[in-house]
Amino acid sequence: MTVNPRFYPLLATIAIFVLAYTVCWIQFPAMLSTRVVGNLLTDNAYLGIVAVGMTVVILSGGIDLSVGSVIAFSGVFIAVVLRETSLHPLAVFVLLLAVTTAFGALMGLIIHSLAMPAFIVTLAGMFLARGAAYMLTIDSVPISDPFYDFIKSSYYLMPGKGRLTVIAGVMLLTVLVGALVAHRTRFGASMFALGGGEQTARLMGVRIGRLTVLIYAFSGFMAGLSGIVFSIYTGSGYPLATVGTELTAIAAVVIGGTILTGGAGYVVGTLFGVLTMGLIQTYIVFDGTLSSWWTKIVIGLLLLLFIVLQKGLLRISSAGQSVRHA
Amino acid sequence: MPLTIRSLSKSFPGAKALDCVDFDLRAGEVHALLGENGAGKSTLIKCLTGAYRRDSGEIMLNGEAISPSSTSEAQALGIGTVYQEVNLLPNLTVAQNLTFGREPRRFGFIDGTAQRAEARRMLSGYGLDIDVGRDLGAYSVAIQQIVAIARAVELSGKVLILDEPTASLDADETRMLFDVVRSLREKGLGIVFVSHFLDQVFELTDRLTVLRNGRKIVTEETARLDRVRLIEHMLGRELSMTEDAARRKTDPNVATRPEVVRFENFGRSGVVEPFDLTVHRGEVIGLAGLLGSGRTETAELMFGVRTAASGEARDETGRIAHANPREAIASGFGFAPEDRKTDGIIAELSIRENIILAMQARRGWAKPIPRAEQDRLAADYIEKLDIRTSGPEKPIGQLSGGNQQKVVLARWLAMNPRFLILDEPTRGIDVGAHAEILNLIRQLTDEGMSLLVISSELDELIAVSNRIVVVRDRRHVAELTGDDIATGPIVRAIAAEAAAQAEKVA
């Protein structure tokens, strides 16, 4: 059985991850343990979640630059509300998700109704959310809540003493839900259609306006969820947190094999993109002598590799087509 | 009668696009809709598909009055449309495209297996053996076209409108498409077929309707019309070209005129085998051959779009630099490419800006052409070439195909090249503009310019060429002059390929 060329970028992503892990394992055999895997998932949980939202946006041919700020806003919002009121954290979560989802939906509405590029609208959203976080507080606000302590101390003990934390579980669940939504629903199909070409999508019966609002609302929801997870992970809210996370998420999406111009890619690929980036960091920690900016260099190289790879694949497939034509 | 249109009218500011047009479509017929650009074909189709609202008149589908207000509404009513540019998504799989919007679901999620099965069922009977799980974009335009038809038929199932479906297909692909259309006709569908290719109209259609200036001129059984009558209907005048002696009087001494450029052992393996070609002053060389035979590739090599691996071009003063288009332009070459929309025009720029493009490129960006000079050039060529526009500042994308082509020609004429290459100069433009462009070619050579004309239409080549080079299998195989410039010898030269291939197979 031959492999459908659709899967090439996804397979390339997985292959790179496996290869990288093998290299790490050969050098540091201790890296092949569920402890490392558990930490990899936990440390990158917030990034994985926001990257799922980013994947959906990019697949539809858009971009969402606001998510990093929204994560920071979420952390501050939760911390401040918990400090000032006696609401249960779960109630605060619901409130927060409502706010960030509405924020995303509003950006989607502006993008569609004013026919503005997503880049500029979400750039405005980025400043707005960051500013809103500063309005709530300019300090790092610690979160001390029994519910937080409970979540932080709960985990599933994997064989080999690795801990699958709640937030890692939430991340994996998010990827699963994201993949189902993107690849197994009509909403997902419309989103791919929009990424393939707005005019054609409209002719095929896609309601562009509604879809655009939903896509950015989804990304806003994911950014809010990521903010919750980040606040659990760090145990505080800080308005200067996660600066540039939107770009890291975009990098993860691209390394995950999604084409930046939209219309082709896989949510599962994004998980591997996030894990590959996390793996590089883990390697540097294991090595101990390397400085952490090596992470950035390797990620930069990986991004370049993927851009070249995508162009190469495009060229191969178009060459195949021209042969058929001749 | 599945579709009946009575006294349909539609006006735009300043123009009456449709004036009391009647149109009938029977079940189980292919009905050609013909007319020059601007005759009202596309307006009629847009009224049918809901893209435009009509001003007055009736559209009856199976006896019921309908008034679609959107493409999807028209689709739901039973009118499906397939356009020249496939309106499906190349980044989705064939199955996703076919079932888009009605994907089979299980527990709320799309059932991939059922989706592919459904897609295979929809494609059965179309004679396609393709993997529905692959991206649509991985397949040729012809296959994409058939997938689009399958989708339209499935969604609509009463009336199918094919708007220039064959414009970007080669002969084999067109045949494949026609088989599909015929089988749909047998299933009782009413099919409206819009095409510029009269051959195809005669080959495929049962009846035809001619529109001109927004009015219906005639509806007739295709078999009862001959080509000349049909063209007369379309133009509303006698077509002098067809009645002329088919060929222009050529100067028998053209070969003794000074050489403009001589290509020696010029070629690149895999693109075009090395060839020799001498071009004389004021000469038109026709390049004939099938699609993919190496016609366009020859032009691209000459103009430096692709780099030649061997040989060179010379004139009396020595070697001519044409390793890339910039050098070629500087050496007095011009090239109006085949795919006007992507390679020839910049749709958002105005007519004026499109005309001065090459000239400005030659001067370099540091020396802009004075605005007064630009305006003079634009006005000059709009008048000279009879470009129909409301003004030189109109974006070229809004002009009809024929007028766009004239602007592309104007761009090169403004450069006054010694050697101009025209690749399919009349493709996709209406009969009237067609004749004008052929006349223009003659005029240019009278003024001493040398031309290389590539065309799929032999009549056209015969009409304008001093000499015809036949290309086949990426090789220049024959050069015809004098009385040999006629359909018979050209076809024999092209057809030798089939014989050669048959031998290879045997």
Side-chain angles (χ1 to χ4, degrees):
Chain A
M1 194 183 134
T2 55
V3 177
N4 191 327
R6 279 176 80 80
F7 296 120
Y8 287 169
L10 179 63
L11 293 178
T13 301
I14 296 177
I16 285 176
F17 176 72
V18 171
L19 188 76
Y21 214 120
T22 312
V23 169
C24 293
W25 170 61
I26 290 169
Q27 208 168 349
F28 307 109
M31 271 189 77
L32 190 67
S33 73
T34 54
R35 285 176 191 231
V36 172
V37 173
N39 285 343
L40 197 58
L41 292 174
T42 305
D43 293 342
N44 294 289
Y46 80 98
L47 182 61
I49 292 168
V50 78
V52 168
M54 188 66 82
T55 311
V56 167
V57 175
I58 290 180
L59 281 175
S60 76
I63 197 105
D64 188 349
L65 298 179
S66 71
V67 294
S69 301
V70 171
I71 294 173
F73 169 81
S74 305
V76 173
F77 180 89
I78 293 167
V80 169
V81 172
L82 284 180
R83 190 182 64 186
E84 305 294 329
T85 69
S86 55
L87 283 173
H88 188 273
L90 283 177
V92 181
F93 291 170
V94 172
L95 205 62
L96 171 81
L97 289 176
V99 170
T100 61
T101 308
F103 182 67
L106 184 68
M107 288 195 297
L109 191 67
I110 294 173
I111 290 166
H112 175 72
S113 56
L114 301 186
M116 292 289 285
F119 185 94
I120 208 74
V121 174
T122 59
L123 187 67
M126 175 178 113
F127 285 109
L128 274 175
R130 186 71 66 182
Y134 275 115
M135 269 176 63
L136 291 173
T137 177
I138 52 167
D139 304 313
S140 175
V141 182
I143 299 171
S144 51
D145 187 281
F147 181 72
Y148 261 66
D149 297 335
F150 167 71
I151 290 187
K152 283 190 93 165
S153 59
S154 320
Y155 53 84
Y156 166 74
L157 198 64
M158 293 184 283
K161 296 245 186 322
R163 292 175 179 183
L164 186 67
T165 56
V166 174
I167 59 172
V170 169
M171 190 262 270
L172 291 177
L173 199 67
T174 304
V175 172
L176 185 71
V177 170
L180 279 175
V181 167
H183 307 299
R184 282 277 167 267
T185 62
R186 288 187 186 174
F187 168 75
S190 308
M191 178 188 94
F192 272 90
L194 180 58
E198 182 177 338
Q199 202 52 42
T200 312
R202 184 175 289 128
L203 274 177
M204 289 178 81
V206 175
R207 286 150 70 191
I208 308 284
R210 177 171 160 271
L211 181 68
T212 307
V213 170
L214 283 175
I215 285 168
Y216 286 90
F218 181 81
S219 178
F221 178 88
M222 284 300 170
L225 187 62
S226 171
I228 292 171
V229 163
F230 192 71
S231 77
I232 295 170
Y233 181 61
T234 59
S236 65
Y238 182 42
L240 254 181
T242 59
V243 171
T245 296
E246 61 281 347
L247 301 180
T248 316
I250 293 169
V253 172
V254 173
I255 293 177
T258 296
I259 291 179
L260 198 51
T261 48
Y266 289 89
V267 173
V268 175
T270 299
L271 174 64
F272 281 96
V274 169
L275 292 181
T276 305
M277 288 165 65
L279 188 70
I280 300 163
Q281 242 147 6
T282 311
Y283 175 88
I284 285 161
V285 171
F286 262 78
D287 185 90
T289 61
L290 288 173
S291 153
S292 70
W293 39 256
W294 276 103
T295 320
K296 310 245 177 226
I297 292 178
V298 178
I299 289 172
L301 290 175
L302 269 182
L303 264 178
L304 279 178
L305 175 78
F306 261 84
I307 295 163
V308 172
L309 189 80
Q310 286 176 357
K311 276 283 170 209
L313 286 176
L314 275 181
R315 194 156 298 166
I316 290 169
S317 56
S318 60
Q321 211 176 336
S322 61
V323 166
R324 239 192 308 280
H325 267 295
Chain B
M1 204 69 81
L3 186 69
T4 314
I5 295 175
R6 287 286 166 265
S7 29
L8 187 72
S9 294
K10 171 80 189 173
S11 296
F12 293 107
K16 189 136 196 168
L18 288 179
D19 188 6
C20 282
V21 170
D22 294 348
F23 182 81
D24 299 300
L25 183 68
R26 297 176 188 148
E29 79 164 345
V30 182
H31 195 135
L33 188 58
L34 297 167
E36 289 193 53
N37 287 345
K41 284 175 308 188
S42 32
T43 310
L44 179 61
I45 286 175
K46 283 179 174 164
C47 286
L48 274 177
T49 57
Y52 290 160
R53 303 303 300 265
R54 60 181 183 268
D55 295 343
S56 64
E58 273 196 323
I59 302 177
M60 312 269 284
L61 189 66
N62 287 339
E64 275 178 51
I66 59 165
S67 185
S69 62
S70 71
T71 318
S72 41
E73 196 186 328
Q75 214 166 55
L77 286 166
I79 302 174
T81 314
V82 174
Y83 301 92
Q84 173 185 344
E85 279 97 25
V86 181
N87 270 300
L88 293 178
L89 292 154
N91 62 318
L92 299 187
T93 66
V94 174
Q96 284 173 327
N97 270 296
L98 281 170
T99 61
F100 195 88
R102 337 167 280 110
E103 296 91 345
R105 287 188 288 193
R106 210 171 48 170
F107 312 123
F109 291 111
I110 294 170
D111 181 347
T113 317
Q115 186 179 35
R116 285 188 292 276
E118 167 74 2
R120 277 190 289 270
R121 183 194 64 71
M122 284 170 71
L123 284 181
S124 67
Y126 287 93
L128 285 188
D129 181 26
I130 58 173
D131 178 357
V132 295
R134 297 266 313 257
D135 285 350
L136 181 74
Y139 294 104
S140 69
V141 178
I143 289 177
Q144 295 186 26
Q145 200 78 260
I146 292 175
V147 171
I149 291 177
R151 179 177 156 88
V153 168
E154 183 77 18
L155 290 181
S156 309
K158 290 175 191 158
V159 172
L160 180 64
I161 299 170
L162 300 174
D163 192 357
E164 300 212 36
T166 57
S168 42
L169 306 188
D170 67 25
D172 282 339
E173 292 175 327
T174 302
R175 208 168 307 132
M176 190 161 104
L177 186 81
F178 281 9
D179 288 341
V180 166
V181 173
R182 289 195 187 98
S183 76
L184 290 175
R185 169 171 64 189
E186 257 138 58
K187 285 182 195 148
L189 240 73
I191 298 163
V192 180
F193 181 78
V194 181
S195 177
H196 281 302
F197 301 110
L198 298 186
D199 285 342
Q200 298 181 355
V201 169
F202 281 106
E203 185 186 339
L204 185 70
T205 64
D206 304 301
R207 290 198 302 163
L208 55 83
T209 291
V210 176
L211 298 181
R212 191 173 73 229
N213 295 332
R215 291 164 194 266
K216 189 187 91 167
I217 300 304
V218 69
T219 296
E220 183 61 278
E221 308 263 327
T222 308
R224 292 172 56 179
L225 265 181
D226 64 22
R227 189 174 297 248
V228 177
R229 286 291 298 157
L230 174 59
I231 293 174
E232 281 173 5
H233 280 313
M234 290 169 69
L235 293 179
R237 57 184 147 98
E238 307 286 309
L239 186 70
S240 56
M241 219 191 75
T242 46
E243 298 184 349
D244 240 327
R247 211 159 91 66
R248 75 171 188 153
K249 305 264 179 299
T250 51
D251 176 1
N253 298 323
V254 72
T256 63
R257 290 192 201 161
E259 289 177 13
V260 171
V261 55
R262 187 196 311 166
F263 296 93
E264 285 171 348
N265 192 33
F266 191 70
R268 181 188 181 87
S269 75
V271 180
V272 179
E273 293 300 310
F275 61 89
D276 296 323
L277 183 66
T278 307
V279 184
H280 300 96
R281 194 177 141 75
E283 187 178 30
V284 180
I285 298 179
L287 210 53
L290 298 174
L291 203 76
S293 59
R295 297 174 313 190
T296 298
E297 288 78 0
T298 301
E300 287 179 347
L301 278 179
M302 287 175 168
F303 196 62
V305 179
R306 300 182 190 222
T307 328
S310 71
E312 56 181 13
R314 313 181 64 87
D315 59 9
E316 58 272 24
T317 60
R319 205 185 148 270
I320 297 175
H322 63 143
N324 55 51
R326 176 189 285 268
E327 281 183 18
I329 291 170
S331 304
F333 286 18
F335 179 34
E338 178 179 16
D339 195 341
R340 198 166 49 232
K341 283 210 183 79
T342 59
D343 301 337
I345 63 167
I346 299 174
E348 292 78 16
L349 293 188
S350 70
I351 295 170
R352 171 181 57 82
E353 287 163 320
N354 268 287
I355 289 178
I356 63 147
L357 210 56
M359 198 179 236
Q360 183 67 65
R362 186 172 59 180
R363 287 166 67 113
W365 59 269
K367 283 183 280 180
I369 301 169
R371 181 58 190 257
E373 171 77 4
Q374 296 185 17
D375 289 337
R376 193 191 59 72
L377 275 171
D380 201 26
Y381 281 106
I382 287 173
E383 197 210 315
K384 222 193 232 166
L385 305 188
D386 192 18
I387 298 168
R388 274 161 228 154
T389 166
S390 53
E393 297 307 317
K394 192 169 178 178
I396 190 173
Q398 294 176 11
L399 299 185
S400 69
N403 283 312
Q404 288 179 358
Q405 185 68 312
K406 287 182 194 166
V407 175
V408 173
L409 284 176
R411 176 191 302 161
W412 293 113
L413 299 185
M415 305 279 293
N416 193 21
R418 52 178 159 171
F419 181 49
L420 180 60
I421 304 166
L422 304 177
D423 194 353
E424 297 282 6
T426 59
R427 168 163 294 182
I429 67 182
D430 61 77
V431 182
H434 190 274
E436 283 174 36
I437 284 179
L438 293 192
N439 278 331
L440 188 66
I441 290 177
R442 292 186 185 127
Q443 223 176 316
L444 289 175
T445 52
D446 290 344
E447 290 164 14
M449 195 180 288
S450 307
L451 292 161
L452 180 84
V453 178
I454 301 176
S455 176
S456 302
E457 300 201 18
L458 293 186
D459 290 347
E460 191 173 301
L461 287 179
I462 293 168
V464 301
S465 304
N466 296 92
R467 207 158 23 124
I468 287 186
V469 173
V470 177
V471 195
R472 156 182 108 211
D473 273 347
R474 302 187 171 263
R475 200 186 293 268
H476 289 205
V477 290
E479 204 174 292
L480 308 172
T481 50
D483 291 339
D484 281 345
I485 300 185
T487 314
I490 299 175
V491 170
R492 273 195 292 280
I494 295 173
E497 173 191 32
Q501 271 181 354
E503 272 168 38
K504 239 182 266 170
V505 172

